[in-house]
Amino acid sequence: MDTLSALADGFGALLAPTALIALLAGVVIGSVVGVLPGIGPVGAMALLLPLSFAFDPAVGLLMTIAIYLGSQYGGSTSSILLSVPGEASSVVTTLDGHQMTKRGRAGAALAVSAIGSFVAGTMAVALLMLLSEPLSAFAIRFSAPEYLALCIFAILVLSRLSGGTFTRSMLAVGLGLMLATIGLDDLSGNVRFTFDIGELIHGVEITPVAVGLFGIAEVLLLAENRGHVPQLPKVPFRSLWPTRTEMRRAVPPMFRGGLLGFFFGLVPGPSAAVSTYASYMLERRISKHRDEFGKGAIEGVSGPESANNGAAGGAMVPLIVLGFPFNGVTALLLAGFTIHGIIPGPLFVENSPDLFWSLVAGMYAANITLLILNFPLVGLFTSLLRIPRDVLLGLIVLIAIIGTYAARSALIDVFWLFAMGVLGYVMVKLRLSRVALMLAFVIGPILESSLTQTVAFANGDPTVLLQRPITMTIVVLTALVVGVPVIFRGLKRDRAVDSADAV
């Protein structure tokens, strides 16, 4: 009953006019960003993060989270209609979603995608609500050695899942850690890497780094592909209703994908994208209509779209419980928490119950609002794909400059904005992970402070760490993540050599 009453209080907080406006603005902006190829949720959140500073913490964070959830919904639209993914987690949806469009079932695919996103999003919020308190009680046992091990685990796991080589991932991580060390060292009071530039004493702010890497860099990348998207299929409102057979086949993958995505969200890395591939492979393996996959199977839309929304909710758990971001989006959310003077972590639920339950209620409300909006406004959202990209680019740059400067009225932040934009563009060309840089930049201070405290705690005796079960568990998991792929590659190479010798 305490949980239900706390949730009711959270919904009560949403009735404030500013909260309702922020929620509605967030889901609409997120849906639009998801539909438009190229910008993505991280870029949109980075661009609009400064706008949240004008609101109180609960409302500002609610709008940011609503943008995140909305982009997960909207990303499927261009994938289904045009086979052009709006974001990375919608790539798998193109496999069967666009084939359904070619067969005249675009409306059914869009409807199943929206319903699956709602089901999975609601499941994820319910699991977040149920697991946060017990996990927070467990996370209180974390201290500097555990956080150090967790930082190393996150960096190394990300290097395995970011799609590039280990060397490329570590180079991106190194750049992020270098940026994080600029300015005043909070532990020693020393000034580092400022080159006698007074404005750098306070370090590099998160806003220009995020907006530059994912906002300005996307503008430069989009500028290479001028024009608009032609031949947009029409989707009448009456076509948005799946048949009974389609719904019967689509519902089980919604629940499986939502649950699978939630647990993928608990793992460092691009969980939304990875979970969609896992869901697609699972559905294809267990389906009775395996021959239809790749040709317009409804399960190939329902499962992956549910998985990416489940992962969105799952990724909130380590952020809220540990105060630790496991991907680029939650890194931006952590920046939003920090800028508003809020420290998520083991004591967040206990110390800030009003804010926690307001955010949970807001996530429920965002999922309901998105389901309602995605049906009547699907025509409006799809029409956005006809807008010439050049018109959007100037607006994006203007928003980026205004938002970055307004964050703390420092001109050097505008310099960092464009410097990070150029860096992000170059990183894409060199196939370096911008998410790895961003994550390393955000967790850099945590890594540095936990390393310093752990060294002092060990007092020259590293065996002390062997007596900490949580630390050792994380270390073993890290070793498995790094070592198992190397072992498998070695075995595969030995088999290849043996086969060649046999011939």
Side-chain angles (χ1 to χ4, degrees):
M1 188 63 186
D2 290 340
T3 299
L4 293 177
S5 61
L7 184 60
D9 291 340
F11 277 108
L14 294 181
L15 298 178
T18 53
L20 291 174
I21 292 172
L23 175 68
L24 185 60
V27 296
V28 171
I29 292 170
S31 297
V32 169
V33 166
V35 169
L36 296 173
I39 300 176
V42 178
M45 291 172 64
L47 286 168
L48 298 171
L49 183 63
L51 297 181
S52 70
F53 305 160
F55 302 102
D56 65 69
V59 175
L61 291 171
L62 175 61
M63 185 179 74
T64 309
I65 293 173
I67 293 172
Y68 177 28
L69 298 178
S71 66
Q72 299 296 321
Y73 272 72
S76 62
T77 303
S78 56
S79 298
I80 291 171
L81 297 181
L82 299 167
S83 192
V84 179
E87 31 135 356
S89 61
S90 297
V91 172
V92 176
T93 308
T94 63
L95 300 177
D96 286 282
H98 191 57
Q99 292 300 319
M100 291 184 68
T101 297
K102 290 181 177 180
R103 289 167 38 194
R105 299 300 297 158
L110 290 170
V112 165
S113 171
I115 296 170
S117 296
F118 169 75
V119 170
T122 304
M123 285 175 56
V125 178
L127 289 171
L128 168 66
M129 180 180 67
L130 295 174
L131 294 178
S132 290
E133 291 194 32
L135 287 177
S136 294
F138 171 74
I140 292 176
R141 299 165 59 185
F142 277 52
S143 59
E146 284 76 22
Y147 275 102
L148 174 62
L150 195 60
C151 287
I152 297 172
F153 175 72
I155 289 172
L156 292 178
V157 169
L158 184 66
S159 72
R160 309 306 308 175
L161 297 177
S162 59
T165 64
F166 179 79
T167 302
R168 292 177 187 273
S169 297
M170 289 300 101
L171 179 57
V173 167
L175 289 173
L177 294 177
M178 286 171 61
L179 286 172
T181 57
I182 294 175
L184 189 67
D185 180 7
D186 293 333
L187 297 175
S188 66
N190 295 325
V191 177
R192 307 173 298 183
F193 310 119
T194 61
F195 304 100
D196 294 327
I197 301 174
E199 291 86 348
L200 293 181
I201 290 178
H202 300 292
V204 182
E205 288 294 308
I206 181 72
T207 303
V209 174
V211 178
L213 280 177
F214 297 99
I216 300 299
E218 290 298 334
V219 169
L220 297 175
L221 293 167
L222 288 171
E224 295 180 338
N225 300 303
R226 302 171 65 88
H228 61 278
V229 181
Q231 298 180 345
L232 185 69
K234 293 183 179 180
V235 185
F237 182 76
R238 61 179 178 276
S239 71
L240 291 173
W241 301 105
T243 64
R244 283 188 180 180
T245 301
E246 286 173 333
M247 279 304 297
R248 188 165 56 248
R249 289 174 54 179
V251 169
M254 291 179 188
F255 288 94
R256 286 193 293 264
L259 194 62
L260 186 69
F262 180 83
F263 287 107
F264 266 95
L266 303 178
V267 179
S271 54
V274 175
S275 68
T276 59
Y277 285 96
S279 174
Y280 189 83
M281 297 301 294
L282 173 65
E283 296 305 326
R284 188 170 65 176
R285 183 177 295 274
I286 67 176
S287 175
K288 297 178 181 178
H289 309 277
R290 196 175 305 175
D291 57 320
E292 294 184 21
F293 277 77
K295 302 175 183 177
I298 194 75
E299 298 92 337
V301 176
S302 174
E305 279 302 306
S306 301
N308 72 40
N309 282 271
M316 296 295 293
V317 174
L319 174 64
I320 289 176
V321 172
L322 296 172
F324 204 89
F326 275 179
N327 56 39
V329 173
T330 51
L332 287 174
L333 287 175
L334 178 59
F337 275 98
T338 304
I339 290 169
H340 283 289
I342 300 165
I343 307 299
L347 298 177
F348 174 66
V349 179
E350 180 180 343
N351 292 343
S352 305
D354 294 341
L355 178 57
F356 171 75
W357 289 107
S358 294
L359 294 179
V360 169
M363 293 173 71
Y364 272 120
N367 278 291
I368 295 170
T369 306
L370 284 162
L371 180 64
I372 295 171
L373 288 179
N374 269 263
F375 281 98
L377 297 183
V378 66
L380 174 62
F381 290 148
T382 53
S383 67
L384 294 172
L385 294 170
R386 296 189 179 95
I387 299 175
R389 291 180 180 175
D390 290 352
V391 176
L392 297 173
L393 301 187
L395 181 61
I396 290 172
V397 173
L398 181 62
I399 293 173
I401 294 173
I402 294 174
T404 300
Y405 183 78
R408 62 170 189 165
S409 301
L411 192 59
I412 194 171
D413 287 346
V414 179
F415 164 78
W416 279 114
L417 170 71
F418 287 103
M420 291 297 103
V422 173
L423 176 61
Y425 175 83
V426 172
M427 290 181 72
V428 172
K429 294 301 180 181
L430 296 178
R431 291 179 293 151
L432 299 175
S433 173
R434 292 176 294 170
V435 172
L437 188 154
M438 184 70 194
L439 187 61
F441 177 74
V442 171
I443 69 174
I446 303 173
L447 174 63
E448 184 178 12
S449 62
S450 60
L451 175 61
T452 304
Q453 294 171 27
T454 300
V455 170
F457 172 78
N459 196 25
D461 181 14
T463 60
V464 172
L465 301 179
L466 300 178
Q467 304 169 17
R468 304 181 71 87
I470 299 177
T471 303
M472 284 308 303
T473 301
I474 299 173
V475 169
V476 170
L477 289 174
T478 305
L480 290 175
V481 168
V482 175
V484 169
V486 174
I487 294 172
F488 275 112
R489 280 200 301 270
L491 293 174
K492 187 176 181 180
R493 188 166 51 247
D494 290 342
R495 290 195 194 99
V497 172
D498 293 339
S499 300
D501 293 340
V503 173

